[in-house]
């Protein structure tokens, strides 16, 4: 018998009619739209392809930026699970359907070679009765199938090939719930989803300042955005969240998106609530209405919004605190605080909390104002009267209370959002990047006094005061690190070094081909635009600098009085104050989309380790 088998095996090496070797078959499957915040799977797929080609989030951002003049988000932001007009998650079936999914769509196919024309019979079974259960499907074995898989239990998918060989797989989607809290550095300030458009055939005049003619500035096109048949914003840049200046370029969203793309069996439910101007007190723990006038504004604190979402919008309560949430009176602004809370047995568990906060609590924006407003200037005197300018000493006075504010934030996150006291590392606190530090990590703007601030004549960078602001920023980040260490949070600061040499003064010199990297604002000379026509401005083109200057803010967001308010106060012409606002409130001194992506690359490396750790435990 053995000799006979040996002969057969030997002959099979040369005889074509021998039986074919059996082919191993398996089921390969993936979540159809892993980043659930994007309503259209095609938008997720475009990022998947960019990441596959580029590797890092930063390189993917650069790749996507080359495909359009105005950035990839301008088409995507109207196709998300965020209702632009109502400023809530009433899109995609409502808040409950979004935060507490019952199923996920998956795509599955058979791997391994099958006989040409072979038919595959697919069956899917769950552990219990499934409403609208999948009744099975017969397809060509080369075709993929799609089905909805119940969450979180999943089920068992089997396939038989021509009634013979079978393959099977357990289908269970891992859905991560990721929350983003914070201020303008987390919201994506400076990077509107749809930036303003410019005209080459008209100019704008802002009057004059002390005899200086403010004419020859670019003029915007009149544009608006329609959402579900409703035109909800008139002129200006458009944001995912208009009052909060929150956009798809936020590093927190990019972290969540990246985690969704890295595992075919994973989905991510992202709840981003960061808002420009937010502090721990007014923003995270109590309500903050944002920085831009809009009919729909946040009516709850960011922590309260998360708690409501954990409950799917119903079944939550409100905890009222008298003076017990002030850290012994050290934070008097929180006296009488009331915060929403979802009962722990009903609350959806949060996997990661991404946090960027603390800068506004010590008045860092006022430190920047101190650095760019010349001593003795009328604008500086006015800003001092309205307490909009801080010296380094003023800012440092806020550090003692900042420690108490973080103590109360920790209490709220654990008690109201139910982050386990045994797993505080799920809270990721990000450091603030440098703004004007050069590549040597020490000098400020190489001693230059002008840095993309010529759009508004009242600005002039003081290298000395900018150095003082950077010193305060470094001290703030050291304190944030200590906070994270004390409370067991994860802290990310690796991106700070990457910003060196890429701050507000960075720009190519003597290279006309890179004119958009210049710090100059286009102005009409009477014959032509210099140094470039405004319509050719590319707000998201890859650049050396990763910080928006005031000129960038003017060209990218150009925040000003809304047209209806302008009519009510009977003003039709621009004033110097409009120029000031246009060059400030659109994101000056905030990271560009590339800067946000660089922060995301640093944060996602820590997030990966946390997710792997939780999967093992």
């Amino acid at each position: 018998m053995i000799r006979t088998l040996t002969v057969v095996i030997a002959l099979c090496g040369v005889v074509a009619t021998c039986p074919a070797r059996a082919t191993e078959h398996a089921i390969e499957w993936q979540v159809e739209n892993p980043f659930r915040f994007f309503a259209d799977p095609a938008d997720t797929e475009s990022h998947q392809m960019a990441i596959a080609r580029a590797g890092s989030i930063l390189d993917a951002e650069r790749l996507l930026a080359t495909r359009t003049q105005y950035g990839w988000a301008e088409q995507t932001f109207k196709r998300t699970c965020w209702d632009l007009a109502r400023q809530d998650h009433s899109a995609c079936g409502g808040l409950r359907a979004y935060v507490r999914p019952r199923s996920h769509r998956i795509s599955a196919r058979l791997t391994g070679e099958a006989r040409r024309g072979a038919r595959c019979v697919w069956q899917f079974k769950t552990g219990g009765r499934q409403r609208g259960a999948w009744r099975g499907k017969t397809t060509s074995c080369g075709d993929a199938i799609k089905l909805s898989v119940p969450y979180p239990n999943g089920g068992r998918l089997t396939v038989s090939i021509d009634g013979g060989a079978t393959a099977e797989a357990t289908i269970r989607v891992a859905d991560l719930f990721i929350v983003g809290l914070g201020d303008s550095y987390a919201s994506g300030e400076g990077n509107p989803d749809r930036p303003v458009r410019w005209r080459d055939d008209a100019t704008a005049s802002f009057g004059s300042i002390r005899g200086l003619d403010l004419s020859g500035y670019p003029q915007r096109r009149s544009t608006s955005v329609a959402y579900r048949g409703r035109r909800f914003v008139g002129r200006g840049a458009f944001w995912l969240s208009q009052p909060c200046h929150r956009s798809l370029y936020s590093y927190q969203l990019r972290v969540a998106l990246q985690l969704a793309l890295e595992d075919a069996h994973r989905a991510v439910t992202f709840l981003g609530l960061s808002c420009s101007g937010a502090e721990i007190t007014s923003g995270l723990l109590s309500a903050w209405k944002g920085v831009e006038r809009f009919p729909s504004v946040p009516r709850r604190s960011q922590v309260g919004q998360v708690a409501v979402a954990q409950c799917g919008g119903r079944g939550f309560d409100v905890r009222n605190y008298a003076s017990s949430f002030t850290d012994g009176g050290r934070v008097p602004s929180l006296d009488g605080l009331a915060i929403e809370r979802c009962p722990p047995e009903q609350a959806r568990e949060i996997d990661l909390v991404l946090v960027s906060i603390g800068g506004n609590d010590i008045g860092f924006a006022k430190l920047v104002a101190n650095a760019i407003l010349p001593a003795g200037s009328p604008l500086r005197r006015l800003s001092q009267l309205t307490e909009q300018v801080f010296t380094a000493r003023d800012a440092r006075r806020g550090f003692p209370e900042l420690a108490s504010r973080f103590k109360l934030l920790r209490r709220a996150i654990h008690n109201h959002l139910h982050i386990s006291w045994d797993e505080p590392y799920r809270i990721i606190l990000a450091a603030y990047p440098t703004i004007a530090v050069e590549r040597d990590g020490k000098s400020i703007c190489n001693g230059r006094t002008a840095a993309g601030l010529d759009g508004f004549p009242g600005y002039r960078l003081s290298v000395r005061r900018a150095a003082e602001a950077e010193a305060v920023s470094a001290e703030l980040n050291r304190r944030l690190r200590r906070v994270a260490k004390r409370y067991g949070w994860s802290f990310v600061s690796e991106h700070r070094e990457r910003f060196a040499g890429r701050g507000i003064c960075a720009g190519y010199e003597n290279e006309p081909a890179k004119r958009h990297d210049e710090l100059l604002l286009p102005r009409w000379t009477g014959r032509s635009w210099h140094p470039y026509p405004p319509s050719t401005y590319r707000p998201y083109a890859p650049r050396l600098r990763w910080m928006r200057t005031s000129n960038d803010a003017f060209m990218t967001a150009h925040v000003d009085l809304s047209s209806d308010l302008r009519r009510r106060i009977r003003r039709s012409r621009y004033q110097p104050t409009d120029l000031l606002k246009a060059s400030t409130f659109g994101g000056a001194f905030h990271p560009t989309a590339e800067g946000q992506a660089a922060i995301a690359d640093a944060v996602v490396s820590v997030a990966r380790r946390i997710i792997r750790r939780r999967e093992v435990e």
Side-chain angles (χ1 to χ4, degrees):
M1 179 67 180
I2 294 177
R3 286 188 61 190
T4 302
L5 180 60
T6 303
V7 172
V8 171
I9 293 174
L11 289 173
C12 284
V14 295
V15 178
T17 56
C18 287
R21 184 202 280 178
T23 302
E24 291 292 331
H25 292 286
I27 295 174
E28 183 180 81
W29 65 276
Q30 62 183 23
V31 179
E32 187 176 54
N33 185 24
F35 190 57
R36 299 184 60 245
F37 187 73
F38 287 169
D40 188 343
D43 292 322
T44 305
E45 186 178 355
S46 67
H47 284 270
Q48 178 76 74
M49 295 173 65
I51 286 291
R53 286 186 57 188
S56 68
I57 301 174
L58 174 58
D59 288 336
E61 172 58 39
R62 288 168 171 164
L63 177 62
L64 292 168
T66 63
R67 297 175 179 175
T68 174
Q69 179 177 349
Y70 297 106
W72 59 266
E74 70 166 345
Q75 299 299 324
T76 307
F77 85 112
K78 290 190 286 184
R79 299 192 297 263
T80 70
C81 289
W82 177 260
D83 190 301
L84 294 171
R86 297 180 57 174
Q87 292 288 289
D88 61 22
H89 280 93
S90 56
C92 297
L95 178 64
R96 188 173 187 83
Y98 177 66
V99 176
R100 306 173 75 99
R102 293 186 176 183
S103 64
H104 296 85
R105 291 280 294 174
I106 68 126
S107 173
R109 66 172 58 250
L110 186 70
T111 65
E113 295 182 6
R115 183 180 60 81
R116 179 177 297 179
R119 306 296 290 172
C120 280
V121 178
W122 298 85
Q123 296 291 334
F124 181 70
K125 296 182 180 180
T126 63
R129 296 183 63 182
Q130 180 188 356
R131 184 179 179 183
W134 199 61
R135 299 181 181 278
K137 189 172 185 180
T138 300
T139 68
S140 169
C141 288
D143 294 341
I145 63 163
K146 295 183 179 182
L147 69 150
S148 292
V149 175
Y151 177 78
N153 295 327
R156 193 74 175 168
L157 182 63
T158 62
V159 58
S160 62
I161 308 166
D162 284 340
T166 62
E168 58 183 14
T170 298
I171 311 295
R172 185 174 293 116
V173 176
D175 191 302
L176 302 180
F177 187 25
I178 300 177
V179 169
L181 306 176
D183 55 20
S184 55
Y185 275 73
S187 71
E189 174 68 275
N191 304 286
D193 298 281
R194 184 179 176 182
V196 295
R197 303 291 200 269
W198 296 102
R199 300 174 59 179
D200 290 338
D201 60 348
T203 63
S205 174
F206 293 89
S208 64
I209 293 181
R210 304 178 73 176
L212 181 62
D213 182 30
L214 302 179
S215 61
Y217 285 81
Q219 185 177 128
R220 296 183 312 183
R221 297 179 189 173
S222 292
T223 52
S224 60
V225 164
Y227 185 70
R228 294 185 178 178
R230 176 183 175 188
R231 306 189 83 78
F232 68 95
V233 178
R235 301 167 60 92
F238 309 133
W239 309 77
L240 192 69
S241 172
Q242 202 74 19
C244 287
H245 283 192
R246 186 171 64 249
S247 78
L248 297 179
Y249 294 104
S250 159
Y251 86 80
Q252 295 180 338
L253 183 141
R254 299 302 292 273
V255 168
L257 173 58
Q258 179 66 23
L259 291 174
L261 301 177
E262 292 182 347
D263 188 334
H265 300 169
R266 175 189 293 162
V268 167
T269 300
F270 175 65
L271 190 72
L273 299 169
S274 294
C275 192
S276 289
E279 302 177 17
I280 292 176
T281 50
S282 180
L284 268 64
L285 298 181
S286 63
W288 163 247
K289 294 183 178 181
V291 293
E292 188 170 342
R293 182 180 176 275
F294 194 74
S296 299
V297 298
R299 291 179 173 82
R300 296 186 174 99
S301 69
Q302 292 180 34
V303 169
Q305 291 177 70
V306 177
V308 172
Q310 284 182 286
C311 261
R314 59 193 185 206
F316 60 91
D317 55 30
V318 178
R319 293 293 174 90
N320 292 286
Y321 298 92
S323 59
S324 62
F325 216 90
T326 62
D327 194 25
R330 296 179 181 87
V331 189
S333 60
L334 293 180
D335 190 18
L337 182 70
I339 311 180
E340 290 77 8
R341 182 177 182 271
C342 184
E345 64 275 9
Q346 299 180 34
R348 179 174 178 185
E349 184 180 25
I350 300 171
D351 293 281
L352 291 175
V353 180
L354 310 179
V355 183
S356 176
I357 200 70
N360 291 326
D361 295 78
I362 65 166
F364 191 75
K366 300 175 184 179
L367 264 178
V368 174
N370 181 58
I372 65 174
L373 296 178
S377 67
L379 184 56
R380 183 180 181 87
R381 289 196 296 269
L382 176 62
S383 299
Q384 288 172 328
L385 288 174
T386 56
E387 297 185 343
Q388 296 303 307
V389 174
F390 265 16
T391 64
R393 179 180 297 179
D394 294 328
R396 288 190 172 96
R397 291 195 184 103
F399 282 139
E401 184 173 319
L402 180 65
S404 292
R405 291 186 180 197
F406 268 108
K407 179 180 178 181
L408 297 173
L409 176 61
R410 171 187 182 238
R411 175 181 170 186
I413 289 177
H414 286 288
N415 290 343
H416 285 256
L417 305 187
H418 311 300
I419 297 295
S420 170
W421 290 96
D422 296 328
E423 297 179 315
Y425 56 83
R426 285 190 272 157
I427 304 166
I428 304 179
L429 180 64
Y432 289 93
T434 59
I435 292 179
V437 175
E438 293 293 347
R439 290 188 181 277
D440 61 7
K442 298 178 181 179
S443 60
I444 304 297
C445 287
N446 285 331
R448 290 175 286 181
T449 57
L453 309 178
D454 63 300
F456 182 72
Y459 290 155
R460 186 178 180 184
L461 181 70
S462 165
V463 174
R464 178 181 63 81
R465 290 197 293 268
E468 292 175 352
E470 287 289 4
V472 173
S473 175
E475 184 173 346
L476 170 63
N477 282 294
R478 287 193 294 271
R479 289 175 179 267
L480 295 182
R481 183 184 293 276
R482 288 199 292 269
V483 163
K485 183 177 181 180
R486 182 182 305 123
Y487 298 146
W489 297 358
S490 300
F491 184 66
V492 181
S493 63
E494 287 72 17
H495 53 281
R496 276 180 60 82
E497 294 182 2
R498 299 193 68 185
F499 273 79
R502 293 183 174 276
I504 58 173
C505 296
Y508 295 100
E509 297 178 0
N510 303 318
E511 294 189 44
K514 296 182 178 179
R515 60 185 180 176
H516 289 292
D517 225 314
E518 295 184 46
L519 302 173
L520 300 175
L521 198 70
R523 297 285 292 275
W524 179 254
T525 64
R527 295 183 178 181
S528 62
W529 289 99
H530 179 79
Y532 55 87
S535 67
T536 65
Y537 178 70
R538 297 181 60 202
Y540 296 112
R543 288 178 168 81
L544 183 61
R545 69 180 182 275
W546 290 352
M547 277 287 170
R548 295 288 187 199
T549 67
S550 63
N551 292 0
D552 291 329
F554 182 100
M555 293 297 294
T556 304
H558 198 84
V559 175
D560 75 344
L561 291 172
S562 61
S563 57
D564 61 330
L565 178 59
R566 192 178 293 278
R567 282 194 300 271
R568 268 186 280 151
I569 63 178
R570 297 181 180 179
R571 268 181 51 191
S572 59
R573 295 182 179 179
Y574 284 119
Q575 304 293 325
T577 51
D578 294 309
L579 177 57
L580 171 65
K581 189 173 183 181
S583 59
T584 305
F585 293 97
F589 312 106
H590 286 80
T592 64
E594 286 182 279
Q596 290 283 342
I599 299 173
D601 275 323
V603 174
V604 80
S605 63
V606 174
R608 288 190 192 105
R609 293 197 295 269
I610 295 173
I611 296 303
R612 286 197 295 267
R613 177 177 176 179
R614 297 202 73 213
E615 289 173 345
V616 171
E617 293 177 352

